[in-house]
């Protein structure tokens, strides 16, 4: 006899995110993040490539029922912010340094998708802009 009950089909969505940090036309840091979402688990693979350094790959599996909060946040890069503040002080000596400070502060501005798990740990996905993939990820993981 045939079993008429069918197992629920595993639905998988694949999303890709990237963030590039540039100084003029020189790309000094690239972050590529691939996310696969199934019915119960989200697999995240993040690759960070920096100039003159070995690429670093980080992989993590997050169960969807372990996600306490997920949202898009604005974040300032530490080093760009530090240099911006230093050049603001130089700007009081010569006004042209304010322009340099503004460039560093503009380059340090970015968006991240912050995934907070129920145990308190976090995973951050840097993104360029709010895209369709960002909206899809937020919708899939909201409870």
């Amino acid at each position: 006899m045939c079993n008429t009950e069918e197992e629920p089909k595993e639905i998988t969505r694949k999303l890709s995110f990237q963030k590039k940090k540039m100084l003029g036309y020189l790309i000094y840091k690239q972050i590529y993040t691939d996310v696969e979402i199934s019915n119960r688990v989200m697999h995240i693979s993040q690759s960070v490539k920096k100039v003159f350094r070995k690429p670093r790959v980080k992989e993590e599996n997050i169960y969807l029922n372990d996600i306490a909060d997920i949202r898009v946040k604005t974040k300032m890069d530490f080093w760009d912010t530090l240099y911006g503040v230093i050049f603001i002080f130089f700007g009081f000596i010569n006004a042209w340094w304010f322009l340099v400070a503004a460039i560093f502060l503009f380059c340090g501005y970015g968006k991240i998708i912050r995934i907070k798990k129920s145990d308190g740990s976090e995973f951050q996905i840097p993104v360029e802009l709010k895209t369709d993939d960002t909206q899809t990820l937020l919708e899939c993981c909201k409870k």
Side-chain angles (χ1 to χ4, degrees), residues 42 62 64-73 113-123 138 141-143:
M42 177 173 27
I62 300 174
L64 294 178
N65 56 359
D66 285 344
I67 296 174
D69 187 32
I70 182 167
R71 64 182 58 190
V72 178
K73 306 229 11 145
I113 300 172
R114 189 192 73 185
I115 302 170
K116 191 171 186 177
K117 296 194 292 187
S118 55
D119 64 358
S121 62
E122 289 184 1
F123 193 89
L138 293 174
C141 297
K142 292 271 184 182
K143 291 184 180 181

Side-chain angles (χ1 to χ4, degrees), residues 22-69:
M22 300 175 72
L23 188 60
Y25 289 109
L26 174 69
I27 299 172
Y28 66 90
K29 185 177 182 181
Q30 299 175 6
I31 302 171
Y32 297 103
T33 308
D34 294 318
V35 179
E36 281 188 39
I37 304 172
S38 67
N39 290 342
R40 293 177 282 160
V41 180
M42 177 173 27
H43 177 75
I44 303 172
S45 175
Q46 192 171 68
S47 171
V48 179
K49 298 176 183 177
K50 293 182 181 178
V51 175
F52 306 122
R53 295 202 183 161
K54 219 164 72 169
R56 186 182 65 194
V57 177
K58 184 163 118 177
E59 296 199 18
E60 185 163 341
N61 288 324
I62 300 174
Y63 290 97
L64 294 178
N65 56 359
D66 285 344
I67 296 174
D69 187 32

